[in-house]
C-alpha cells in the first residue's frame, strides 16, 4: 500500500466535509427535530407505528429533496418551489379542517361560490345563512378521529344550516381558486375529505405560483421574498382555504412586478403593465385595508408611455377604476355589516374617531407599542392552528434572526430609487393605520382605550414594502456575480453559500413548528 494513501484519504475526507458542511449540519439539525418529536410523543396520544414511520420519512426525505435542489441550483425561485412543496404538504396534513382561524367560514363561502352564488344572500338582520350538505364540515379532536372520516360522503338529504356572514364581506375574487377546486372535485366525487383537500390544493397552488414568479421577477431582495414566503405563519395561511392566501401572495407579486417594471428594461412592457394593473385592482378588492397598494401604479416610469400626459391619464384611470370597483363592492357588502362583538357600533366609532382625531392617534400608537412584541412573534408563527398552538422557542426564535437578517442586511435596496422607497413607506405606514382603524371600528367598543382584534398575520402583506424602504444596517458591497439575475440580490452572501445555511435554519424552524402541531393534535 502506498504510504501516501492514508494522508490523501484524510485530505479527501476533509475536502468533502468542507464542501458539504451546510448539509451535514442540516442533517444533524433535522435529526434533532425528529428526535425531539419522538421524545414528545411519549406524553401524547401515541399514533400507530405506520403513522410514526411516515412522519419520520417525511422529515428525512423532505430534507434530502431540499438539499439536492440547493446542491444543483442557486436559483432561489427553484429552491423555493421545492421547499414550499415539501413544507406545504406537511402543514396541509398536520392541520385538518377547523384548525386554522375561520377556515370553516371560508370553506362555506367558497362552496357557495362554487354553486354560482357569487353574491351571498343575507336575511333581514344582515346574517348570511344557507343550507349545506351534511358532512361538509368534518372535524375531530385528534388525528385518529379526523382521518377515520376519510370515507364520509356529502349528504344532500340531511342538510344543515350554517352561517358565514363574516366571509361574505370579502370579494368573491378572494375565493376563486378554492371554488374552482370544489367545482372540479364535485364533478368526480362526493367524498367530503377529497373535496376539502382539493380546494386547499388549488388555493395553495395559486398562491405558490404567485410567490414563485415574485422571487423570479424581483430584481432586488429575492432572499427577502424567499424568507417571508417560508415563515411558519405564511405557510400556515397558505395551505388553508382562507382569503388571506391570495392577499399575501398578490402583495408579494405586485411589489415584485412594480419593482421590475420601474428598475429594469422589460421585453414586453405593455404586458407587464397590464398585468400589474389587474393585480393591483384585484389586490384592493381582496381587503379594503390594503387599498394603498394601488400607489404602486405611480412607480411606473413615464418613458413607457407616449408622453407624461398619457402616463398620468393611465395611472389615474387605474386609480379611479380601483375606487369604482371598491365603491361598488362596498355598496353590495354593506348589508353584511353586523356587530360581532358586544358594545360595537361601527357608525358610532367612526363618529368618535372623527370627533377626537388626536385621542384616536394616541390610542393607535399606544396599542401598537404595547402589542408589538406579540404581533411580531405571531406574525412569524409563534402561535399556529387555531392560534392556540404555542410553538417552542426553537420554532420561532431562529426565524426572528433570519427575518431580521433578510430585511436589514441581505435585502440589497441601496439601488432602489428614492421615489419607489417613498411609495413603499406610504404603503407600509398607511396600511398599518387602515388595519388598526378597521379593527377599531368593527371589533372594538366605542371610545375604548385600546384596539381589539389585532393579529400579526394581518401585517404579512406589508413586510416586503417595509424591507424595501428601511435603511440597511450593514450595506454589503456587490462582488463579481457575473450577471446571474436569479441569484441572491447580495452576491457577497451568495458566493460564500451562507444563504444555504439560512435556508437550512428556516427548514429547521418549520419542522419544529410541524412537530409542535402534530403533538398538539395527536
Amino acid at each position: 500500500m502506498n504510504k501516501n494513501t492514508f494522508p490523501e484519504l484524510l485530505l479527501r475526507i476533509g475536502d468533502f466535509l468542507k464542501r458539504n458542511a451546510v448539509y451535514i449540519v442540516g442533517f444533524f439539525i433535522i435529526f434533532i427535530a425528529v428526535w425531539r418529536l419522538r421524545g414528545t410523543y411519549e406524553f401524547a396520544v401515541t399514533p400507530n407505528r405506520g403513522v410514526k414511520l411516515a412522519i419520520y420519512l417525511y422529515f428525512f426525505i423532505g430534507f434530502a429533496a431540499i438539499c439536492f435542489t440547493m446542491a444543483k441550483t442557486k436559483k432561489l425561485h427553484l429552491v423555493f418551489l421545492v421547499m414550499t412543496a415539501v413544507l406545504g404538504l406537511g402543514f396541509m396534513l398536520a392541520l385538518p379542517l377547523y384548525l386554522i382561524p375561520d377556515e370553516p367560514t371560508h370553506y362555506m363561502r367558497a362552496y357557495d361560490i362554487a354553486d354560482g352564488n357569487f353574491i351571498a344572500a343575507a336575511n333581514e338582520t344582515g346574517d348570511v345563512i344557507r343550507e349545506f350538505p351534511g358532512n361538509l364540515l368534518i372535524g375531530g379532536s385528534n388525528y385518529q378521529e379526523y382521518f377515520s372520516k376519510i370515507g364520509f360522503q356529502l349528504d344532500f338529504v340531511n342538510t344543515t344550516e350554517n352561517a358565514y356572514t363574516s366571509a361574505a364581506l370579502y370579494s368573491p375574487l378572494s375565493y376563486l381558486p378554492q371554488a374552482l377546486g370544489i367545482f372540479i372535485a364535485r364533478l368526480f366525487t362526493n367524498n367530503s375529505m377529497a373535496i376539502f383537500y382539493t380546494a386547499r390544493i388549488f388555493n395553495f397552488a395559486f398562491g405558490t405560483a404567485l410567490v414563485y414568479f415574485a422571487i423570479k421577477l424581483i430584481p432586488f431582495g429575492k432572499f427577502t421574498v424567499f424568507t417571508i414566503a417560508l415563515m411558519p405563519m405564511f405557510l400556515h395561511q397558505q395551505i388553508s382555504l382562507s382569503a388571506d392566501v391570495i392577499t399575501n401572495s398578490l402583495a408579494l407579486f405586485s411589489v415584485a412586478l412594480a419593482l421590475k417594471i420601474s428598475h429594469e428594461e422589460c421585453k414586453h412592457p405593455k404586458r407587464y403593465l397590464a398585468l400589474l394593473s389587474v393585480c393591483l385592482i384585484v389586490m384592493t378588492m381582496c381587503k379594503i385595508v390594503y387599498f394603498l397598494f394601488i400607489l404602486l401604479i405611480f412607480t411606473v416610469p413615464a418613458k413607457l408611455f407616449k408622453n407624461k400626459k398619457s402616463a398620468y391619464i393611465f395611472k389615474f384611470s387605474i386609480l379611479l377604476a380601483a375606487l369604482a370597483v371598491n365603491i361598488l363592492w362596498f355598496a353590495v357588502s354593506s348589508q353584511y355589516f353586523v356587530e360581532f362583538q358586544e358594545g360595537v357600533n361601527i357608525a358610532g366609532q367612526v363618529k368618535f374617531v372623527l370627533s377626537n382625531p388626536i385621542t384616536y392617534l394616541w390610542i393607535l400608537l399606544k396599542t401598537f407599542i404595547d402589542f408589538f412584541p406579540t404581533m411580531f412573534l405571531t406574525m412569524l408563527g409563534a402561535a399556529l392552528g387555531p392560534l392556540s398552538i404555542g410553538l417552542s422557542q426553537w420554532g420561532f426564535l431562529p426565524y426572528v434572526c433570519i427575518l431580521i437578517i433578510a430585511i436589514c442586511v441581505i435585502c440589497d435596496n441601496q439601488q432602489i430609487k428614492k421615489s419607489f422607497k417613498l411609495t413603499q413607506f406610504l404603503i407600509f405606514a398607511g396600511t398599518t393605520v387602515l388595519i388598526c382603524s378597521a379593527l377599531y371600528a368593527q371589533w372594538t367598543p366605542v371610545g375604548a382605550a385600546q384596539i381589539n382584534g389585532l393579529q400579526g398575520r394581518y401585517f404579512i402583506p406589508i413586510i416586503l414594502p417595509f424591507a424595501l424602504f428601511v435603511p440597511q444596517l450593514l450595506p454589503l458591497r456587490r462582488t463579481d456575480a457575473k450577471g446571474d439575475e436569479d441569484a441572491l440580490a447580495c452576491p457577497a452572501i451568495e458566493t460564500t453559500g451562507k444563504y444555504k445555511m439560512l435556508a437550512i435554519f428556516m427548514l429547521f424552524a418549520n419542522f419544529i413548528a410541524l412537530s409542535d402541531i402534530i403533538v398538539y393534535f395527536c
Side-chain angles (χ1 to χ4, degrees), residues 189-211:
T189 182
N190 284 326
N191 183 280
S192 302
M193 197 170 289
I195 294 171
F196 167 67
Y197 274 103
T198 302
R200 267 192 175 184
I201 289 169
F202 270 68
N203 207 26
F204 175 69
F206 183 78
T208 298
L210 287 174
V211 178

Side-chain angles (χ1 to χ4, degrees), residues 293-314:
F293 273 82
I294 198 68
L295 295 178
L296 288 171
I297 199 67
F298 292 97
T299 65
V300 176
K303 64 181 181 181
L304 297 182
F305 303 89
K306 292 182 179 179
N307 49 53
K308 288 186 177 181
K309 182 179 179 180
S310 299
Y312 282 122
I313 291 174
F314 178 84

Side-chain angles (χ1 to χ4, degrees), residues 156-175:
F156 294 96
V157 176
N158 299 309
T159 59
T160 58
E161 279 193 346
N162 290 288
Y164 66 85
T165 309
S166 58
L169 287 167
Y170 299 130
S171 162
L173 294 174
S174 301
Y175 296 96

Side-chain angles (χ1 to χ4, degrees), residues 101-117:
D102 305 322
E103 190 174 32
T105 304
H106 292 299
Y107 188 20
M108 289 185 284
R109 171 70 163 139
Y111 191 95
D112 209 13
I113 291 173
D115 279 344
N117 302 316

Side-chain angles (χ1 to χ4, degrees), residues 298-299 416-424:
F298 292 97
T299 65
I416 297 177
K417 299 173 183 177
K418 290 183 179 180
S419 58
F420 194 92
K421 287 185 178 182
L422 176 60
T423 304
Q424 302 311 297

Side-chain angles (χ1 to χ4, degrees), residues 423-459:
T423 304
Q424 302 311 297
F425 171 76
L426 292 175
I427 292 172
F428 171 79
T431 302
T432 300
V433 173
L434 288 175
I435 291 172
C436 295
S437 300
L439 292 170
Y440 195 61
Q442 197 169 2
W443 290 93
T444 310
V446 177
Q450 71 175 28
I451 300 169
N452 296 337
L454 279 176
Q455 296 182 29
R457 59 195 176 103
Y458 299 152
F459 298 92

Side-chain angles (χ1 to χ4, degrees), residues 125-136:
T125 63
D127 291 311
V128 177
I129 302 174
R130 67 152 286 184
E131 287 191 354
F132 291 95
N135 296 329
L136 177 69

